[in-house]
Amino acid sequence: MTDGLTLYIPEPPTRPGDTPDFSHLEIPAAGAMPRPPTDAPAETLRDMAYGLVRVLDDAGQAVGPWAPGLSPEQLRQGLSAMMLTRLFEDRMFRSHRQGKTSFFMKSTGEEAIGAAQSMVLDRRDMCFPTYRVLSWLMARDYPLIDLVNQIFSNARDPLKGRQLPILYSARDYGFYSLSGNLGSRFGHAVGWAMASAYKNDDSLALAYIGEGSTAEGDFHEALTFASVYHAPVILCITNNQWAISSYAGIAGADETTFAAKAAGYGLPGLRVDGNDFLAVWAATQWAVARARANLGATLIEFFTYRAAGHSTSDDPGRYRPADEAAGWPLGDPVARLKQHLIAIGEWDEARHTQFESELVERVRAAAKEGEAVGTLGKSKPPVSEMFEGVFEKPDWRVREQREELGV
Amino acid sequence: MTDGLTLYIPEPPTRPGDTPDFSHLEIPAAGAMPRPPTDAPAETLRDMAYGLVRVLDDAGQAVGPWAPGLSPEQLRQGLSAMMLTRLFEDRMFRSHRQGKTSFFMKSTGEEAIGAAQSMVLDRRDMCFPTYRVLSWLMARDYPLIDLVNQIFSNARDPLKGRQLPILYSARDYGFYSLSGNLGSRFGHAVGWAMASAYKNDDSLALAYIGEGSTAEGDFHEALTFASVYHAPVILCITNNQWAISSYAGIAGADETTFAAKAAGYGLPGLRVDGNDFLAVWAATQWAVARARANLGATLIEFFTYRAAGHSTSDDPGRYRPADEAAGWPLGDPVARLKQHLIAIGEWDEARHTQFESELVERVRAAAKEGEAVGTLGKSKPPVSEMFEGVFEKPDWRVREQREELGV
Amino acid sequence: MPSMSMIQALNSALDVMLARDPDVLMFGEDVGYFGGVFRVTEGLQKKHGLKRCFDTPISEGGIIATAIGMGAYGLRPVAEIQFADYILPAFDQLVSEAARLRYRSNGEFWAPITVRAPYGGGIFGGQTHSQSPEALFAHVTGLCTVIPSNPYDAKGLLIASIESNDPVIFLEPKRIYNGPFDGHHERQMKTWADHAKADVPEGHYTVPLGKAATVREGRDVTVLAYGTMVHVAESAIEESGIDAELIDLRSIVPLDIDAIVSSVTRTGRCVIVHEASRFAGFGGELSALVQERCFFHLKSPVQRVAGWDTPYPHAFEWDYFPGPGRVVSALKRVMED
Amino acid sequence: MPSMSMIQALNSALDVMLARDPDVLMFGEDVGYFGGVFRVTEGLQKKHGLKRCFDTPISEGGIIATAIGMGAYGLRPVAEIQFADYILPAFDQLVSEAARLRYRSNGEFWAPITVRAPYGGGIFGGQTHSQSPEALFAHVTGLCTVIPSNPYDAKGLLIASIESNDPVIFLEPKRIYNGPFDGHHERQMKTWADHAKADVPEGHYTVPLGKAATVREGRDVTVLAYGTMVHVAESAIEESGIDAELIDLRSIVPLDIDAIVSSVTRTGRCVIVHEASRFAGFGGELSALVQERCFFHLKSPVQRVAGWDTPYPHAFEWDYFPGPGRVVSALKRVMED
Ligand SMILES: Cc1ncc(C[n+]2csc(CCOP(=O)(O)OP(=O)(O)O)c2C)c(N)n1
Ligand SMILES: Cc1ncc(C[n+]2csc(CCOP(=O)(O)OP(=O)(O)O)c2C)c(N)n1
Ligand SMILES: [Mg+2]
Ligand SMILES: [Mg+2]
């Protein structure tokens, strides 16, 4: 018998003032994981959840069975989407500091995920995003000016001022409506995928969720439906180690991997280096092939790191070592893809610098254009837009209230 | 490319009119599963979720490392609780047919689970029941008359007529308040266990959930908290193959086992023959030892079969072969424990028959006593009880409404 | 026209829509092979195929999330929640997602889903098989809430709900599934057989959302009700001998404000009846609307008859249920002043 | 006495209770090491220890279920939900479990839990960081709902809530965390510094649940408000020049019906103000109660000023927010008749 039980509360290895420490992470070498056939039964794939699919090695070479064999053109397109994402977010973050918008969030360090997946998925597929996959839209050339106008909530905001900045919706770009609620759209992806199967269509769904948000009941319910009905959906957990101030251990990461959750539903679960554009691509391609062959859902954990603060309201220096990001053992996804392109002779520093300034200019131009329309509080859609779209047709309440407000 | 996707909807192997078929089940021999030490790390235990812990073999002998070595006294006590449960439920089911109560549910075929666990757990522990574990109370000698009065909602109903029949509450018997909502108390068990650990107490919690109800978000949330805070709780899935008319495949059983869900939380997951009193006992003992040693939660899937209809409102002949129950390969828990007691020379047919008639008489006496107080509609607690206990102290609404009704 | 019970009328509505629109499908706990615990979907799987009407895991949140995703894709899913009491695990999906999708995406996505659920008391179902949660939905901007009181309306309103491009909570008063119930539980059960509103056409028709029905015209007081309480009120009016006008709201969102105002303006008195517990129930909104719009016509305070402010208590079914006796008292009270 | 902001007063309440009662503990998303996104739990983990104030998974249902289990065991857990908008995934736990546990178990178990959540608008938080869900809780028998409007009350009410043996939803108007806000967003932000109600004792005291406060006495009209709207109403009353009595309800369940009735009986007029959208909001219940109990004293219709019946729209913060201008109009309207 014990002296009584004690309550265990997980804590991260380091806090502000400590030296960042990632020594507890096991990082397998690039190329080490096998690539099972896409029609392998899920029960033969359980080990995949405890490894880490990696393609780019330290020298920037693509190695092992998962190397997707991309063309230089594809690689450069991916790099472009990632760089554009980062530059755009940096600019808008500054705009927030200047009071031009109410709120902003960056995806720094996680750009490979949305960029690669956006390219692998088809135009007819639908992604159910989180707020941290802007690179999905960038890889599909969503107009920067529409982003800016949404972020500034100005008169040209495509969402008519109704949504918080960055909670985009872009149906034509395969990007489902975002909302502030975490996790609650994960199951919509499953429903969408089931609808596609119901119609004998072949469009797939792809959904994102943060590692922190996997604790929501919605996550489990979505996986249950995906499993039971063999829904053609790719369910992606972006494990960026943090949920605002809470480290991944508060979501269960100290107990097992997130990919391990797949086994409980009889689904394949892959664990993938999320900072490796090629690994993300390859794993996604594998899951897509499986889903399009009517073999159902795959759960993928992307192992990555949230290099910036959670949002403009956050100061990560309050809860983690200031230099933790720099120590992240999987590096920076932009730098790694750039290194790869250089290593295969398809890129160089000069081109990179030149290209970067072109992108900076594009971003600047879009920001300026948006500012000319107006920033938060200086410009907004007609107030009547507040009353539109509550129902398909307004009822008397909306009509009367509109009248009362005189709009 | 495919010709388009198709939507998969799971279906059970047989329906009314078909011959029952359990050939798809893999049933390992009794004694075949290893018994790992109770402090084994969860990641070394993953295979346990795909086996089946069984102790009683076909000859009624207790075999293998899980045999718990119970005294004949303990075995007879267990048998008694199970027999009493069955006889009592049969009687009350008939009472429902006679209009003496509004509703009733039986646990036929599943009596071993509550009975063994009630005996293994301590008086200071708390069970968070489903409506199908009456044998927990029977093993602790909860007064039959209190059950009857609750079922008849009569003037002596211990729950004052506020609850549907069989949604008991019995704090002194370690039996938490039941409710009609499925799954929503699974997490209370985790909170209770965490509270015990917080207070350096050593009381454990044990929770039940049906296999169908594991699809609720609450299930996942409870497991997440249990895992993250190493809560001293035993989480039991009663996989009785059916959820009203839906077979377990609708809850995901065709894809993997329910015990396999443990891996996603880094918890040990045991899969146990729920019709084997000794296996239930042994597995529970294992999990209790682990929890009391501050090693946290265990998930146990009890593989069993709902031999009766779902409730008095149900007719299972509408959705499954009429004789399916008879074909259940794991047999009947009462018959198997009886056989074991006989096999070890501690019981015989004559004693059994004699004992059964004693129990029948006890049940009859309790039913009669309850009937004398009154049955549904013929007797009820004072109407003022409707207004009590909404809050600790009634507010003006309750006071005024009571006055309006004149009670 | 065939005489149908409410169950049959609802089944017919679903059957008609399955036959008519390949984008309509339905699912929920036990609705497939078995046909639902109240038999509303009986025979539909067999007739229309496995994928048109199927069983789901016990996961109300998952059911609604799945429906929303299907709706956004372009289908018209009809989800059954086995009892309205069990809708709450899906409350966030309904409020934060279904109700808000069209608005927040500026019309790029929307959720044309219908969520059916038996609701209300009178069947000795105890706490969790008897509740009336309509007020919770009525407060949510973006959700419609529909409550039929007879077979004809049930079919027409359900078809209108399925065809609506807005999310609809469709609450079915389970006590009147098989016959009208006027609250006189001591009397013999009636079936729908001879009821005028049990004459239900076989084919497609709609009863529009947002249009109340005047069940009985009267000059002295307006009674507002919906669901089972329409029958209770009707009976109470007869018993009271008061010349009351009875309005069956049929949907509470959209609400037929014109019907309410024009009636109360004439009668100058109003009684509101619902099964749900009283405090912050939908009766509060109705009472507020009436006094805001008819204040100078009102001869006496608007009265509410509702469930007590307690959980739904099993043994006290008829003490809790706002039966004809209480409605008669309210009618008398409202006439006194 | 020290001057405290509402954040500091809430922090002080929690600190006092942690020090005083070993059975009090608190948890929620980011409340531990970090001290909460609004800093209400700042320093408490460090001072009282890891297990007294800790982070949880992002799982509102799990948080409340855990709290209920702890409460049933005998602790007094205080759970923080990061924004009231995110309480909905836990709605079933609150309604079906916390609110009903005592009743259904005949007092064998109960849930003495306090659920804190910042709520309301005025901070450009958009749809999901601005909502006011109080009406949804008010309708649930068995739940208390408390809403402070100033630091003194915030601390006293929070301590009373923690000490209560009933489950309490404690909604904190986030717009006035750091200073009173009268709706004049164009003016400079105020802090609590010089406010009379920012004089907060360091130690233990309670403000009882169910007792309204008369913020301002007046003869001509009664204004009922809570949370941020108390300040908006106060300012609007000054601007209107009308001699209004302003009642801060402080808790809507239990509701101080006597204070309401005695005031309206005197003034004969009533304006109700809340941020939540209007339809089926809590204003409906208040309006109904007032007209039921004060009908023959009422000189004009009870008026409601509330959020519009739309989702909370980001760019239209000040078009949506029921600011002083709309309250003044309502005051004038109510005086006209
Ligand atoms: C239902 C819900 N609960 C809480 C929040 C508040 N919140 C916003 S972001 C966040 C952290 C999310 O962490 P994670 O899921 O890991 O995603 P990440 O931000 O790391 O991409 C929290 C708690 C929310 N938005 N929705
Ligand atoms: C939240 C909720 N949803 C639905 C129901 C209706 N219902 C009652 S029992 C049941 C089946 C439960 O099946 P399972 O969990 O396997 O338990 P079993 O009855 O087999 O013991 C259903 C769907 C309910 N009571 N609660
Ligand atoms: Mg994260
Ligand atoms: Mg079952």
Side-chain angles (χ1 to χ4, degrees):
Chain A
M1 278 296 52
T2 65
D3 294 341
L5 301 157
T6 54
L7 182 59
Y8 171 79
I9 313 281
E11 287 182 286
T14 56
R15 284 295 192 188
D18 298 337
T19 308
D21 177 12
F22 290 110
S23 60
H24 58 286
L25 298 184
E26 276 178 53
I27 312 273
M33 292 291 292
R35 184 180 187 280
T38 57
D39 62 356
E43 63 266 30
T44 65
L45 302 173
R46 283 182 206 134
D47 288 345
M48 297 300 295
Y50 303 100
L52 195 65
V53 172
R54 304 184 67 211
V55 170
L56 288 174
D57 69 10
D58 291 347
Q61 294 296 344
V63 299
W66 286 92
L70 303 186
S71 70
E73 208 28 69
Q74 288 172 311
L75 293 168
R76 277 189 295 260
Q77 198 191 326
L79 183 68
S80 165
M82 288 159 68
M83 289 171 68
L84 188 58
T85 302
R86 189 166 297 181
L87 294 167
F88 180 85
E89 289 183 343
D90 285 346
R91 171 98 198 188
M92 290 295 111
F93 196 86
R94 289 199 306 277
S95 295
H96 174 266
R97 292 284 181 253
Q98 295 158 359
K100 291 174 183 154
T101 176
S102 57
F103 180 76
F104 196 71
M105 294 174 101
K106 294 162 80 166
S107 60
T108 316
E110 305 174 38
E111 299 92 338
I113 301 164
Q117 298 202 294
S118 180
M119 291 174 70
V120 174
L121 274 280
D122 215 277
R123 280 281 161 168
R124 67 188 183 286
D125 301 325
M126 183 61 67
C127 137
F128 292 72
T130 62
Y131 44 69
R132 245 185 263 286
V133 287
L134 176 58
S135 58
W136 175 286
L137 287 174
M138 293 302 194
R140 293 186 174 204
D141 290 322
Y142 186 80
L144 297 188
I145 182 62
D146 288 343
L147 297 173
V148 174
N149 289 335
Q150 200 277 332
I151 292 162
F152 291 169
S153 298
N154 66 22
R156 299 231 187 100
D157 173 358
L159 300 183
K160 307 293 182 194
R162 296 189 197 136
Q163 269 288 42
L164 204 63
I166 81 165
L167 299 182
Y168 319 113
S169 176
R171 187 166 191 144
D172 293 344
Y173 296 78
F175 192 94
Y176 188 70
S177 161
L178 266 165
S179 172
N181 309 69
L182 296 170
S184 50
R185 288 157 309 284
F186 213 57
H188 299 191
V190 177
W192 179 288
M194 287 172 67
S196 173
Y198 172 86
K199 295 292 280 183
N200 306 124
D201 189 359
D202 73 347
S203 122
L204 309 181
L206 181 150
Y208 293 103
I209 197 165
E211 94 293 340
S213 307
T214 60
E216 293 284 3
D218 298 276
F219 171 77
H220 167 68
E221 298 182 328
L223 280 161
T224 300
F225 278 69
S227 157
V228 168
Y229 301 107
H230 300 186
V233 60
I234 298 144
L235 297 165
C236 306
I237 301 170
T238 306
N239 177 4
N240 65 3
Q241 313 301 321
W242 290 94
I244 310 191
S245 75
S246 303
Y247 86 116
I250 295 293
D254 292 349
E255 310 298 325
T256 189
T257 70
F258 291 95
K261 297 193 188 285
Y265 309 89
L267 295 177
L270 305 180
R271 196 154 165 274
V272 177
D273 179 348
N275 290 14
D276 177 340
F277 181 86
L278 301 190
V280 174
W281 185 295
T284 308
Q285 213 171 28
W286 188 93
V288 163
R290 196 171 170 96
R292 286 220 211 276
N294 229 340
L295 297 170
T298 300
L299 183 71
I300 312 181
E301 172 184 355
F302 290 110
F303 206 60
T304 181
Y305 184 85
R306 193 197 78 206
H310 172 74
S311 74
T312 44
S313 320
D314 183 42
D315 170 9
R318 297 182 88 134
Y319 52 79
R320 68 185 190 189
D323 49 351
E324 205 190 67
W328 178 244
L330 295 174
D332 175 77
V334 176
R336 284 174 71 193
L337 184 53
K338 174 185 164 197
Q339 181 200 23
H340 175 57
L341 270 163
I342 293 175
I344 62 173
E346 291 288 345
W347 199 244
D348 58 43
E349 288 293 350
R351 275 174 84 175
H352 192 81
T353 312
Q354 166 61 23
F355 186 60
E356 187 164 61
S357 36
E358 283 166 34
L359 294 180
V360 167
E361 182 44 38
R362 271 181 65 195
V363 168
R364 205 193 63 85
K368 286 289 158 208
E369 190 183 338
E371 284 167 20
V373 180
T375 57
L376 181 71
K378 308 247 155 61
S379 161
K380 67 182 174 190
V383 177
S384 59
E385 285 295 346
M386 173 168 69
F387 291 109
E388 299 288 342
V390 181
F391 293 104
E392 191 181 28
K393 298 182 204 79
D395 71 8
W396 57 270
R397 298 175 296 167
V398 168
R399 282 197 305 272
E400 284 186 5
Q401 291 174 13
R402 221 175 129 158
E403 203 170 300
E404 187 179 337
L405 190 60
V407 296
Chain B
M1 281 291 53
T2 64
D3 293 342
L5 301 159
T6 54
L7 182 60
Y8 172 80
I9 313 281
E11 286 182 286
T14 56
R15 285 294 192 190
D18 299 337
T19 308
D21 177 12
F22 290 110
S23 61
H24 57 288
L25 297 184
E26 276 177 54
I27 312 272
M33 293 292 293
R35 184 181 186 280
T38 57
D39 61 356
E43 64 264 30
T44 64
L45 302 172
R46 281 181 208 134
D47 288 346
M48 297 299 295
Y50 304 101
L52 194 66
V53 172
R54 305 184 67 211
V55 170
L56 288 174
D57 69 12
D58 292 348
Q61 295 295 345
V63 300
W66 286 91
L70 304 187
S71 70
E73 208 29 70
Q74 288 171 312
L75 294 168
R76 276 190 295 261
Q77 198 190 324
L79 183 68
S80 164
M82 288 159 67
M83 289 171 68
L84 187 57
T85 302
R86 189 166 298 181
L87 293 166
F88 180 84
E89 289 183 343
D90 285 345
R91 171 96 199 189
M92 289 295 112
F93 195 86
R94 289 199 306 277
S95 294
H96 174 267
R97 292 282 181 255
Q98 296 159 358
K100 292 175 183 155
T101 176
S102 56
F103 180 76
F104 196 71
M105 294 173 101
K106 293 162 78 166
S107 60
T108 316
E110 306 174 38
E111 299 93 339
I113 301 164
Q117 298 203 295
S118 180
M119 290 175 70
V120 174
L121 273 281
D122 215 278
R123 280 279 162 170
R124 65 190 186 284
D125 301 325
M126 181 61 68
C127 136
F128 292 72
T130 62
Y131 43 69
R132 246 184 261 287
V133 288
L134 176 58
S135 58
W136 176 286
L137 287 174
M138 293 303 193
R140 293 185 174 203
D141 290 322
Y142 185 81
L144 296 188
I145 182 62
D146 289 343
L147 296 173
V148 174
N149 290 335
Q150 200 279 330
I151 292 162
F152 290 169
S153 299
N154 67 21
R156 299 231 187 101
D157 173 358
L159 301 184
K160 306 294 182 196
R162 297 190 196 136
Q163 269 287 42
L164 203 64
I166 82 164
L167 300 183
Y168 318 114
S169 176
R171 187 167 191 142
D172 292 344
Y173 296 78
F175 192 93
Y176 187 71
S177 160
L178 265 165
S179 172
N181 309 70
L182 296 169
S184 49
R185 289 158 308 285
F186 213 58
H188 299 190
V190 178
W192 179 288
M194 286 174 68
S196 173
Y198 172 87
K199 295 292 281 183
N200 304 124
D201 189 357
D202 73 348
S203 120
L204 309 182
L206 181 149
Y208 293 103
I209 196 165
E211 94 293 340
S213 307
T214 61
E216 293 284 3
D218 298 274
F219 171 77
H220 167 67
E221 299 182 329
L223 280 162
T224 300
F225 278 69
S227 158
V228 169
Y229 302 107
H230 299 187
V233 59
I234 298 145
L235 298 165
C236 306
I237 301 170
T238 307
N239 177 4
N240 65 3
Q241 313 302 321
W242 290 95
I244 311 189
S245 76
S246 304
Y247 86 117
I250 296 293
D254 292 348
E255 310 298 324
T256 189
T257 71
F258 291 96
K261 296 193 189 286
Y265 309 88
L267 294 175
L270 305 180
R271 195 152 166 277
V272 176
D273 179 347
N275 290 15
D276 177 340
F277 181 85
L278 301 190
V280 174
W281 185 295
T284 307
Q285 213 171 26
W286 188 92
V288 162
R290 195 172 172 96
R292 289 224 209 272
N294 227 342
L295 296 170
T298 300
L299 183 73
I300 311 182
E301 172 184 354
F302 290 110
F303 205 61
T304 181
Y305 183 85
R306 194 198 77 207
H310 172 74
S311 73
T312 44
S313 320
D314 183 41
D315 170 9
R318 296 183 89 134
Y319 51 78
R320 68 184 190 189
D323 50 351
E324 205 190 67
W328 179 244
L330 296 175
D332 175 76
V334 175
R336 284 174 70 192
L337 183 53
K338 174 185 164 199
Q339 180 198 24
H340 174 57
L341 270 161
I342 294 176
I344 62 173
E346 291 287 346
W347 199 243
D348 57 41
E349 288 293 350
R351 278 174 80 176
H352 192 82
T353 311
Q354 164 64 22
F355 185 61
E356 188 165 61
S357 35
E358 283 165 36
L359 294 181
V360 167
E361 182 44 39
R362 272 181 63 196
V363 168
R364 205 193 63 85
K368 287 286 159 211
E369 190 182 340
E371 283 166 20
V373 180
T375 58
L376 180 71
K378 307 248 155 60
S379 160
K380 67 183 176 189
V383 178
S384 60
E385 284 296 348
M386 173 169 69
F387 291 109
E388 298 288 342
V390 182
F391 294 103
E392 191 181 30
K393 297 181 204 81
D395 71 7
W396 56 269
R397 298 176 295 168
V398 169
R399 282 196 306 272
E400 284 185 6
Q401 292 173 15
R402 226 176 123 156
E403 204 168 302
E404 187 179 337
L405 190 61
V407 296
Chain C
M1 276 192 292
S3 165
M4 294 190 195
S5 73
M6 194 184 285
I7 299 274
Q8 291 165 327
L10 291 164
N11 183 277
S12 170
L14 296 171
D15 185 31
V16 164
M17 290 308 291
L18 283 168
R20 199 179 155 95
D21 183 350
D23 290 340
V24 170
L25 78 172
M26 51 206 56
F27 45 86
E29 298 158 16
D30 302 294
V31 308
Y33 186 87
F34 186 58
V37 295
F38 288 102
R39 331 286 322 131
V40 173
T41 54
E42 186 156 26
L44 298 178
Q45 180 180 85
K46 191 154 189 207
K47 178 163 172 195
H48 298 279
L50 193 57
K51 73 173 190 176
R52 305 293 305 280
C53 176
F54 57 86
D55 289 338
T56 62
I58 302 174
S59 169
E60 292 75 14
I63 291 169
I64 303 303
T66 301
I68 296 170
M70 288 177 165
Y73 177 95
L75 304 184
R76 293 194 178 279
V78 183
E80 175 176 309
I81 299 294
Q82 204 161 80
F83 287 88
D85 315 73
Y86 305 138
I87 241 174
L88 298 185
F91 199 63
D92 186 52
Q93 281 295 331
L94 291 167
V95 177
S96 303
E97 296 294 341
R100 304 288 154 76
L101 187 55
R102 177 193 298 281
Y103 188 81
R104 73 177 193 228
S105 71
N106 190 26
E108 283 199 331
F109 300 92
W110 62 95
I113 68 172
T114 303
V115 181
R116 296 179 37 246
Y119 96 110
I123 61 151
F124 271 101
Q127 168 61 51
T128 60
H129 303 94
S130 306
Q131 293 169 95
S132 299
E134 71 276 9
L136 303 177
F137 299 114
H139 185 45
V140 178
T141 48
L143 288 184
C144 298
T145 301
V146 177
I147 307 177
S149 72
N150 61 64
Y152 182 89
D153 286 356
K155 178 169 175 180
L157 288 167
L158 181 52
I159 292 179
S161 299
I162 297 173
E163 292 179 346
S164 164
N165 288 324
D166 294 316
V168 177
I169 311 294
F170 192 89
L171 298 175
E172 303 169 0
K174 64 176 95 70
R175 176 63 217 224
I176 56 172
Y177 265 155
N178 292 308
F181 175 65
D182 64 7
H184 284 289
H185 54 92
E186 70 289 357
R187 299 195 190 146
Q188 233 212 295
M189 288 228 325
K190 283 191 214 119
T191 69
W192 282 108
D194 299 319
H195 199 280
K197 290 289 185 178
D199 255 5
V200 178
E202 297 268 16
H204 176 279
Y205 68 92
T206 59
V207 171
L209 311 187
K211 285 270 162 271
T214 304
V215 177
R216 184 192 190 288
E217 297 191 349
R219 270 171 312 183
D220 292 341
V221 45
T222 303
V223 178
L224 304 178
Y226 45 88
T228 304
M229 300 318 284
V230 170
H231 304 276
V232 174
E234 196 173 8
S235 183
I237 291 169
E238 295 309 324
E239 290 162 36
S240 72
I242 293 167
D243 187 18
E245 177 144 307
L246 173 57
I247 296 184
D248 176 357
L249 296 176
R250 299 204 286 202
S251 65
I252 62 171
V253 180
L255 181 70
D256 190 345
I257 188 70
D258 294 338
I260 297 170
V261 170
S262 89
S263 176
V264 181
T265 307
R266 262 187 294 108
T267 61
R269 293 185 160 90
C270 182
V271 171
I272 297 156
V273 193
H274 63 57
E275 283 186 64
S277 59
R278 173 184 173 110
F279 196 76
F282 191 65
E285 178 62 30
L286 289 173
S287 174
L289 285 170
V290 165
Q291 78 89 35
E292 282 158 8
R293 284 154 199 257
C294 311
F295 185 81
F296 295 103
H297 297 91
L298 280 179
K299 297 173 195 145
S300 66
V302 179
Q303 300 281 338
R304 290 183 284 170
V305 182
W308 307 118
D309 287 312
T310 75
Y312 207 102
H314 178 254
F316 308 109
E317 184 80 57
W318 305 123
D319 307 295
Y320 182 90
F321 192 87
R326 285 175 58 206
V327 179
V328 169
S329 306
L331 285 169
K332 292 198 175 139
R333 215 158 45 236
V334 86
M335 293 306 299
E336 263 166 30
D337 302 308
Chain D
M1 279 192 294
S3 164
M4 292 190 196
S5 73
M6 194 184 286
I7 299 276
Q8 290 166 326
L10 292 164
N11 182 278
S12 172
L14 297 171
D15 185 31
V16 164
M17 290 309 292
L18 283 167
R20 198 180 157 93
D21 183 350
D23 290 340
V24 170
L25 79 172
M26 51 207 55
F27 45 85
E29 298 159 15
D30 302 294
V31 308
Y33 186 88
F34 186 58
V37 296
F38 288 102
R39 330 289 318 132
V40 172
T41 54
E42 185 156 26
L44 298 178
Q45 180 179 85
K46 192 157 188 201
K47 180 165 172 192
H48 298 279
L50 193 58
K51 74 174 188 175
R52 306 293 305 280
C53 176
F54 57 86
D55 290 337
T56 62
I58 302 173
S59 169
E60 291 76 15
I63 292 169
I64 302 303
T66 302
I68 296 170
M70 289 178 166
Y73 177 95
L75 304 184
R76 294 195 178 279
V78 184
E80 176 177 308
I81 300 294
Q82 204 160 78
F83 286 88
D85 315 72
Y86 304 138
I87 241 174
L88 299 185
F91 199 63
D92 186 52
Q93 280 295 332
L94 291 167
V95 177
S96 303
E97 296 293 340
R100 304 291 154 75
L101 187 55
R102 177 193 298 282
Y103 188 81
R104 74 178 191 227
S105 72
N106 189 25
E108 284 199 331
F109 299 93
W110 61 94
I113 68 173
T114 304
V115 181
R116 297 180 36 245
Y119 96 108
I123 61 150
F124 272 101
Q127 168 62 52
T128 60
H129 303 93
S130 305
Q131 292 169 96
S132 298
E134 70 277 10
L136 303 176
F137 299 114
H139 186 45
V140 178
T141 48
L143 287 184
C144 298
T145 301
V146 177
I147 307 178
S149 72
N150 62 64
Y152 181 89
D153 286 356
K155 178 170 174 180
L157 288 166
L158 182 51
I159 292 179
S161 298
I162 298 172
E163 292 178 346
S164 164
N165 288 325
D166 294 316
V168 178
I169 311 293
F170 192 90
L171 297 174
E172 303 169 0
K174 65 175 94 72
R175 175 64 215 225
I176 57 171
Y177 265 154
N178 292 308
F181 175 64
D182 64 6
H184 285 290
H185 54 92
E186 70 289 357
R187 298 194 191 146
Q188 233 212 297
M189 289 227 324
K190 282 189 214 124
T191 68
W192 283 108
D194 299 318
H195 198 282
K197 290 289 186 178
D199 254 7
V200 177
E202 296 269 14
H204 176 277
Y205 68 92
T206 60
V207 171
L209 309 188
K211 285 271 162 269
T214 304
V215 177
R216 183 192 191 287
E217 298 191 347
R219 272 172 312 182
D220 293 341
V221 45
T222 302
V223 179
L224 304 178
Y226 44 88
T228 304
M229 301 318 285
V230 171
H231 303 276
V232 173
E234 196 172 10
S235 181
I237 290 169
E238 296 308 324
E239 289 162 36
S240 72
I242 293 167
D243 187 18
E245 178 144 306
L246 173 57
I247 296 184
D248 176 358
L249 296 176
R250 300 205 285 204
S251 66
I252 63 170
V253 179
L255 181 70
D256 190 345
I257 189 70
D258 295 339
I260 297 171
V261 170
S262 91
S263 176
V264 180
T265 307
R266 263 188 292 108
T267 61
R269 294 186 161 91
C270 181
V271 171
I272 295 156
V273 193
H274 64 56
E275 283 186 64
S277 58
R278 173 185 173 110
F279 197 77
F282 191 65
E285 178 61 31
L286 288 173
S287 173
L289 285 170
V290 165
Q291 79 88 35
E292 282 158 9
R293 285 154 200 258
C294 310
F295 185 82
F296 295 103
H297 295 91
L298 279 179
K299 298 173 195 144
S300 66
V302 179
Q303 298 283 335
R304 290 183 284 169
V305 182
W308 307 119
D309 287 312
T310 75
Y312 207 102
H314 178 255
F316 308 108
E317 183 81 56
W318 305 122
D319 306 295
Y320 182 89
F321 192 87
R326 285 175 56 206
V327 180
V328 169
S329 305
L331 285 168
K332 292 200 174 140
R333 215 158 45 235
V334 87
M335 293 308 298
E336 261 168 31
D337 302 308

